[in-house]
Amino acid sequence: MRMTEARKLILEELRRSSKHPTADEIFLKLRTELPSLSLATVYRNLELLERLGVVKRLELSSGRRHYDGNVLDHAHMRCIECGEVVDMPLPGRGWLRKVLSLSDYDLIGINIELVGICKRCASGKKARKGR
Amino acid sequence: MRMTEARKLILEELRRSSKHPTADEIFLKLRTELPSLSLATVYRNLELLERLGVVKRLELSSGRRHYDGNVLDHAHMRCIECGEVVDMPLPGRGWLRKVLSLSDYDLIGINIELVGICKRCASGKKARKGR
DNA sequence: TTTTGTGCAAACGCTTTGCATTAAT
DNA sequence: ATTAATGCAAAGCGTTTGCACAAAA
């Protein structure tokens, strides 16, 4: 694996921000620093970084895929108005034990998405940008 | 709202099975009973039934959207090998209270997806069909 | 008879891929 | 020099939509 300019920037961007960006948000952001960058490269690198376990793919119900530079497990809260996503703690061990005992599954991962309206949107102060 | 043949069959199918089908799984299933049915109609009815709160849209990380005839809140466990989805209980109230106190959001809904491998797939007895 | 619902096919939005070219090693 | 990585454009795939027609009410 070669450490290319694109790769480095994408990883830095994910590590730097806590904003859980989508592929094209990353693309638009980095385009200024690396004008030759293409969206396909962003997608390819995100897939690779995810396979390496360096970055986490978030399956939110926004229709788009989000990425997270923080691999430690946590849940997410998404605002249905503006699309903002913030980190939340996981439920306690008790629930997990219950789930495992009920299911007969080998657990690989957990995706927890809380959906709501953030304070700013609730008070009508922020422009709509997501769905 | 008119109770058409298509509508009735789609709703029945969702109520009957605990399989959390996708739009096109429903389409393929009902095609035998109602050959004139089109995929677009399935999509339109699912959206309508969801708006009515009669059916629930599941945001799983399979790339496709699943629907659930059980509107009561519960989590889901998905097998990454065969795509099977089974119901699981929600975490306890304690975690919810913590999340709400930390977030400043008005909570609207919760999507919890556990990802794992079911017993049959783990023992190599079932054919791959999902992702 | 009036609308709502439908089938069809085209459009859409995000993601993936084939291929020729570029650039890390 | 070798081969992974890239840009571009096209293809893919699930979902949505415009429109003329069909069928509930």
Side-chain angles (χ1 to χ4, degrees):
Chain A
M1 192 197 103
R2 294 170 186 172
M3 187 44 74
T4 61
E5 188 66 9
R7 195 110 82 210
K8 203 172 63 195
L9 288 173
I10 290 169
L11 189 50
E12 272 169 16
E13 180 56 26
L14 277 167
R15 286 272 163 76
R16 175 185 324 134
S17 95
S18 54
K19 279 186 145 54
H20 314 86
T22 60
D24 79 271
E25 282 165 354
I26 294 171
F27 169 65
L28 291 174
K29 185 91 182 280
L30 298 184
R31 188 178 238 307
T32 34
E33 306 174 49
L34 188 64
S36 70
L37 183 65
S38 83
L39 186 53
T41 295
V42 176
Y43 273 107
R44 279 188 279 232
N45 274 293
L46 288 173
E47 208 223 309
L48 180 110
L49 292 171
E50 196 216 345
R51 274 209 316 276
L52 295 175
V54 145
V55 136
K56 203 174 163 196
R57 171 196 292 216
L58 302 186
E59 302 291 352
L60 308 177
S61 50
S62 70
R64 278 166 264 170
R65 189 180 301 157
H66 295 248
Y67 283 87
D68 192 335
N70 177 5
V71 182
L72 300 173
D73 275 343
H74 53 269
H76 294 94
M77 170 77 91
R78 178 172 61 87
C79 176
I80 50 165
E81 285 294 323
C82 65
E84 177 186 80
V85 178
V86 300
D87 292 343
M88 286 287 128
L90 282 189
R93 291 279 161 203
W95 171 70
L96 252 194
R97 253 188 284 109
K98 182 163 64 175
V99 156
L100 289 177
S101 72
L102 285 170
S103 71
D104 258 354
Y105 274 57
D106 294 333
L107 188 64
I108 293 175
I110 309 181
N111 296 315
I112 298 192
E113 178 194 23
L114 298 141
V115 184
I117 299 191
C118 72
K119 208 164 203 172
R120 277 175 299 174
C121 286
S123 58
K125 291 199 177 77
K126 208 160 56 175
R128 180 179 208 101
K129 79 172 211 222
R131 41 162 158 154
Chain B
M1 192 195 104
R2 294 171 185 170
M3 187 44 73
T4 61
E5 188 66 9
R7 195 110 81 209
K8 204 172 61 195
L9 288 174
I10 290 168
L11 189 50
E12 271 169 17
E13 179 57 26
L14 277 167
R15 285 273 162 76
R16 174 184 326 134
S17 94
S18 54
K19 279 185 145 54
H20 314 86
T22 60
D24 77 272
E25 283 166 353
I26 294 171
F27 170 64
L28 292 173
K29 185 91 183 280
L30 297 184
R31 189 178 237 306
T32 35
E33 305 175 49
L34 189 63
S36 70
L37 183 64
S38 82
L39 186 53
T41 295
V42 175
Y43 273 107
R44 278 188 281 233
N45 275 294
L46 287 173
E47 208 223 310
L48 181 107
L49 292 171
E50 196 216 344
R51 274 209 316 275
L52 295 175
V54 146
V55 136
K56 204 174 162 197
R57 171 196 292 217
L58 301 186
E59 302 291 354
L60 307 177
S61 50
S62 71
R64 278 166 265 171
R65 191 180 300 157
H66 295 247
Y67 283 86
D68 192 334
N70 177 5
V71 182
L72 300 173
D73 275 343
H74 53 269
H76 294 94
M77 170 77 91
R78 177 172 62 88
C79 176
I80 50 165
E81 285 294 321
C82 65
E84 177 185 81
V85 178
V86 301
D87 292 344
M88 287 287 127
L90 282 189
R93 291 279 160 205
W95 171 69
L96 251 194
R97 253 188 283 109
K98 183 163 64 174
V99 157
L100 289 176
S101 72
L102 285 170
S103 71
D104 259 355
Y105 274 57
D106 295 333
L107 187 64
I108 293 175
I110 310 182
N111 295 315
I112 298 192
E113 178 195 21
L114 298 142
V115 184
I117 299 193
C118 73
K119 207 163 204 174
R120 276 175 300 175
C121 286
S123 58
K125 291 199 178 79
K126 209 160 54 175
R128 179 179 209 102
K129 80 172 211 223
R131 44 159 156 156

